[in-house]
Amino acid sequence: MSILSCENLSKHYGTVAALDGVNLNIEPGRIVGLLGPNGSGKTTLIKLANGLLTPTEGRILIGGMEPGVETKKLVSYLPERTYLANWMNVKQILSYFEDFYADFDRERAAAMLSHLGIPETQRIRQMSKGTREKVQLILVMSRRAKLYLLDEPIGGVDPAARDYILNTIIGNYDPQAAVVISTHLIADVEPLLDEVVFIQNGHILRHTPVDEIREQMGKSVDALFREEFRCF
Amino acid sequence: MRWEFHDDAPIHVQVTERIERLIVSGTIQPGQKLPSVRSFALEAGVNPNTMQRALTELERGGLIYSQRTAGHFVTGDQQIISTVREELAAKIIRQYLRGMTELGCSPEEAESLLHRQLNAEGGSEHVNSEL
Amino acid sequence: MFLKLVKHELHETARMLLPVFGGLLLFAAMARAMIWVMEQNDHVVLAFMGTLFISLFVFACIACVILTAILMMVRFTKSVHGDEGYLTHTLPVGVHSILLSRLLITVLSLAAALGVTYLAIRLCTWNVEAMEDFNMIFTSGFEYLGLDSGFLWRVVASVFVSLVTTVLLIFAAISIGHSFNRGKVGFSILFYFAMNTIASVISTLLALVFSSSFLDSETAELSTFSQQSFLLSLCINLIFCGVYYFLTWIMTKKRLNLS
């Protein structure tokens, strides 16, 4: 059974359609790149999957259920924004996640944080932007979730942080879970991906295994993306 | 350190070839245990599924073998290793010849130019490292 | 899960409010000391300083309650409709739990602010001769003013219910205001005043209908009037509570618009 499935999913903001009749299935064990230019509907799709938005039409199912308390137990979400309260220190944040998420592996998170040299007494407000993003990713990847939704995890970080983030995603890979990575920095994530979903103006243009693109078209996903989105 | 990939071939094919090179060059010794799929994937910076696929292909070719719980090992069979080395060498030679043809050199010319280069570098200490 | 939310809210709120409450009590103690100094010495500068200080204290008492209200509003806005909302709304908890935990802690905080202000006033006027009459109100209760204890309880209940109503009105206004893409705070304030006006008009009309019908009846008696009008305002407020809560819930569940 698909861990994430969209059936004729649409989301309109007023007269603007952010998503328009999307059909999509994501299977467990796959790392999927959700690729598209800014404003193509990537974030809208991820927000719908998290129940932060309600569909205008159609439906989105997580493990066969509409977004709600039960699906939130299955989904680990990394938003684009820093969502941690400034005043909290690392220890408080770990306790918070441990309190609310039954699948949170505190020891794993603590090990990754200490590996980065971040003391548990450090507050969010004392951290650089890059460190905050790493902390947030560590929290998200330390859950033993069924579906990871990572919205622009490598947007706006330096190359060293990017490698760290990508390694953290690989290092926590779980064959029972699916990972969806939304990004416009395709070349960086391409070696990680099993499949790509190209999205534009709220439509799915393509949902293909990466190997197929390279084998049948003889080009990288990045090159194909540049080609298909050239006019825009 | 992440591995670099070019655009022309699927990642798993490139990973497979990269590991073949590590083995035939002796960087990974015959009989040596390979890292686990996850840590090998981390080292390469690729999806663990891709690494698994590459290892399965290498196993099919006999260059490595897996023991149910212990993981993957390089074969001790020198015969297989030299066959793979020759295949990889043939591939590089084909590339060389293709490049020479593009320059308008005949195969004979390509051969004599190769000899001349080899002789020129023969006196040098750095032959091996240059290659 | 509800209790975990309450625990976390309590922790965060205490972190914000304890310094405020502590500051006010410290201020009260200082004001009491100032009064003592004024009682001992009769000097015009001292008297001026003391009066100024005590005026400031009165101001601080009001500020404490207002500051508490503002901090709680900001907390609600940030954690439900701001960036922290990304975490709040992806926790495996229902919208009702999120809203009710905020409501509970906000009402408790405001009640605590009122309680601390009361304590501060008592502390400041403790054993001050000039304030004896004032203190008598507290020591001998409402009988001193010729009112029965039932009245006291009605006052407490009214204050509590209006507190809940006001908090829910603010939550509703913030939730509606933040469903807009721009001018979220502006729309929140606008909706607060709009809904407040509508609510006042409705309750005034109901009060008019009630009092005219009551005065028309033969058995009109002042004490029953007070009791019945209390019950009426309680009912009206409870209905408003329900409406505001529903608005907050539907806006948060269906029209959440995190930027």
Side-chain angles (χ1 to χ4, degrees):
Chain A
M1 187 182 61
S2 304
I3 182 67
L4 172 72
S5 74
C6 305
E7 297 167 8
N8 194 30
L9 181 68
S10 296
K11 176 68 188 175
H12 301 258
Y13 296 110
T15 54
V16 184
L19 284 181
D20 196 13
V22 165
N23 290 295
L24 181 68
N25 288 298
I26 306 282
E27 307 302 324
R30 312 293 277 169
I31 301 182
V32 182
L34 184 61
L35 314 177
N38 288 327
S40 52
K42 302 187 296 273
T43 298
T44 300
L45 181 58
I46 287 180
K47 280 186 171 181
L48 282 163
N50 278 297
L52 296 175
L53 293 172
T54 320
T56 312
E57 255 178 71
R59 53 183 198 157
I60 185 163
L61 301 175
I62 313 291
M65 296 174 284
E66 304 229 352
V69 174
E70 286 310 309
T71 68
K72 286 172 186 180
K73 292 177 184 169
L74 307 179
V75 178
S76 192
Y77 169 46
L78 181 78
E80 266 184 278
R81 300 183 165 247
T82 307
Y83 60 29
L84 301 170
N86 266 331
W87 60 272
M88 285 177 110
N89 66 28
V90 170
K91 199 174 173 186
Q92 286 166 324
I93 292 165
L94 290 176
S95 303
Y96 189 88
F97 268 68
E98 199 178 26
D99 248 9
F100 285 104
Y101 296 115
D103 60 3
F104 183 66
D105 186 344
R106 184 177 184 144
E107 270 151 44
R108 179 191 290 261
M112 283 195 268
L113 288 164
S114 77
H115 187 68
L116 271 180
I118 300 172
E120 292 211 342
T121 49
Q122 192 171 35
R123 291 180 191 280
I124 293 292
R125 93 159 63 81
Q126 299 165 318
M127 295 174 186
S128 68
K129 185 171 180 282
T131 307
R132 272 179 223 185
E133 295 194 355
K134 284 183 208 161
V135 168
Q136 213 155 272
L137 181 80
I138 287 173
L139 293 169
V140 167
M141 295 311 295
S142 296
R143 283 184 56 196
R144 305 289 85 203
K146 290 277 164 265
L147 176 63
Y148 298 86
L149 297 171
L150 314 177
D151 200 357
E152 295 284 356
I154 52 169
V157 300
D158 59 79
R162 187 180 311 159
D163 279 358
Y164 179 82
I165 288 168
L166 296 178
N167 283 342
T168 306
I169 296 171
I170 300 171
N172 289 284
Y173 171 81
D174 169 5
Q176 309 298 312
V179 183
V180 175
I181 304 172
S182 115
T183 187
H184 56 275
L185 303 167
I186 296 155
D188 290 323
V189 296
E190 191 174 339
L192 254 70
L193 303 178
D194 290 301
E195 300 167 11
V196 288
V197 174
F198 280 10
I199 181 168
Q200 186 185 31
N201 295 332
H203 295 275
I204 304 285
L205 296 188
R206 165 189 295 285
H207 179 191
T208 330
V210 172
D211 287 343
E212 207 171 282
I213 292 177
R214 283 174 172 257
E215 265 157 35
Q216 296 178 1
M217 303 185 195
K219 57 185 79 152
S220 69
V221 174
D222 193 30
L224 181 69
F225 183 85
R226 282 166 204 270
E227 226 164 80
E228 297 203 340
F229 291 92
R230 184 171 35 199
C231 325
F232 310 101
Chain B
M1 202 180 63
R2 310 181 84 79
W3 297 357
E4 295 290 330
F5 299 103
H6 55 77
D7 287 1
D8 309 330
I11 307 261
H12 69 93
V13 174
Q14 296 185 53
V15 171
T16 308
E17 196 180 307
R18 183 74 185 250
I19 298 172
E20 282 175 350
R21 283 168 184 243
L22 289 173
I23 292 170
V24 299
S25 68
T27 311
I28 306 177
Q29 290 286 321
Q32 194 180 327
K33 187 180 184 306
L34 292 175
S36 71
V37 173
R38 188 190 295 275
S39 57
F40 217 0
L42 261 177
E43 192 189 320
V46 300
N47 185 317
N49 293 329
T50 306
M51 184 55 76
Q52 182 61 56
R53 190 166 172 187
L55 293 180
T56 308
E57 272 162 44
L58 289 168
E59 211 179 318
R60 200 180 307 137
L63 199 57
I64 66 172
Y65 63 95
S66 69
Q67 280 187 344
R68 238 168 298 142
T69 49
H72 294 90
F73 295 84
V74 178
T75 181
D77 187 342
Q78 284 295 345
Q79 194 68 46
I80 297 176
I81 295 177
S82 27
T83 311
V84 173
R85 182 188 286 116
E86 276 161 29
E87 280 167 10
L88 287 171
K91 203 171 163 187
I92 293 171
I93 292 165
R94 275 198 299 276
Q95 270 170 13
Y96 164 75
L97 289 174
R98 196 163 47 240
M100 294 309 279
T101 312
E102 278 168 19
L103 289 178
C105 299
S106 67
E108 292 73 26
E109 237 178 317
E111 193 187 355
S112 70
L113 282 169
L114 180 63
H115 279 299
R116 196 197 293 174
Q117 188 68 24
L118 281 171
N119 290 335
E121 286 182 3
S124 150
E125 299 276 310
H126 307 292
V127 178
N128 290 324
S129 63
E130 290 287 319
L131 289 171
Chain C
M1 280 299 174
F2 176 71
L3 287 179
K4 285 177 183 168
L5 281 171
V6 169
K7 182 186 101 180
H8 183 76
E9 282 304 300
L10 200 62
H11 182 219
E12 162 116 31
T13 308
R15 188 191 60 88
M16 293 192 304
L17 294 181
L18 287 182
V20 177
F21 294 169
L24 185 69
L25 290 174
L26 193 70
F27 206 149
M30 280 157 67
R32 178 67 190 87
M34 206 72 192
I35 291 170
W36 181 78
V37 172
M38 279 162 68
E39 281 170 343
Q40 303 302 310
N41 307 284
D42 196 11
H43 192 282
V44 67
V45 175
L46 260 178
F48 174 75
M49 293 273 294
T51 317
L52 189 71
F53 201 81
I54 288 158
S55 321
L56 277 177
F57 170 69
V58 173
F59 181 74
C61 286
I62 301 165
C64 167
V65 177
I66 293 175
L67 188 63
T68 303
I70 291 175
L71 284 174
M72 294 314 291
M73 268 192 267
V74 170
R75 165 84 192 128
F76 177 79
T77 309
K78 270 170 82 175
S79 70
V80 178
H81 293 286
D83 283 353
E84 285 174 42
Y86 281 99
L87 183 54
T88 307
H89 294 293
T90 47
L91 296 175
V93 294
V95 176
H96 287 302
S97 299
I98 292 170
L99 295 180
L100 289 173
S101 62
R102 263 73 180 174
L103 176 66
L104 178 69
I105 297 300
T106 305
V107 170
L108 281 181
S109 303
L110 288 169
L114 292 174
V116 168
T117 307
Y118 164 77
L119 272 180
I121 293 171
R122 292 303 307 277
L123 184 64
C124 177
T125 58
W126 180 62
N127 251 344
V128 178
E129 274 172 46
M131 287 292 184
E132 228 163 70
D133 276 356
F134 179 74
N135 280 332
M136 282 295 280
I137 299 175
F138 297 113
T139 45
S140 34
F142 280 75
E143 289 88 352
Y144 181 77
L145 295 173
L147 296 163
D148 56 41
S149 61
F151 180 79
L152 176 68
W153 285 114
R154 286 206 289 277
V155 168
V156 170
S158 296
V159 168
F160 180 75
V161 172
S162 3
L163 209 57
V164 174
T165 315
T166 311
V167 169
L168 281 172
L169 168 60
I170 293 169
F171 281 8
I174 291 172
S175 300
I176 297 171
H178 282 72
S179 67
F180 290 89
N181 285 331
R182 279 172 203 184
K184 289 172 187 278
V185 177
F187 275 113
S188 301
I189 296 168
L190 188 76
F191 272 94
Y192 170 79
F193 283 112
M195 291 196 295
N196 198 21
T197 311
I198 295 170
S200 312
V201 169
I202 293 174
S203 41
T204 311
L205 283 176
L206 284 174
L208 279 175
V209 171
F210 163 75
S211 52
S212 60
S213 70
F214 185 86
L215 292 176
D216 283 348
S217 70
E218 299 287 310
T219 55
E221 226 181 291
L222 199 61
S223 62
T224 42
F225 178 74
S226 123
Q227 267 178 22
Q228 293 197 357
S229 60
F230 160 74
L231 279 176
L232 179 76
S233 73
L234 202 67
C235 288
I236 295 174
N237 270 333
L238 286 175
I239 292 168
F240 281 138
C241 280
V243 172
Y244 297 150
Y245 182 81
F246 178 76
L247 282 173
T248 312
W249 176 76
I250 201 89
M251 293 314 280
T252 309
K253 187 163 176 73
K254 301 279 183 195
R255 307 216 62 96
L256 192 66
N257 188 15
L258 303 175
S259 51

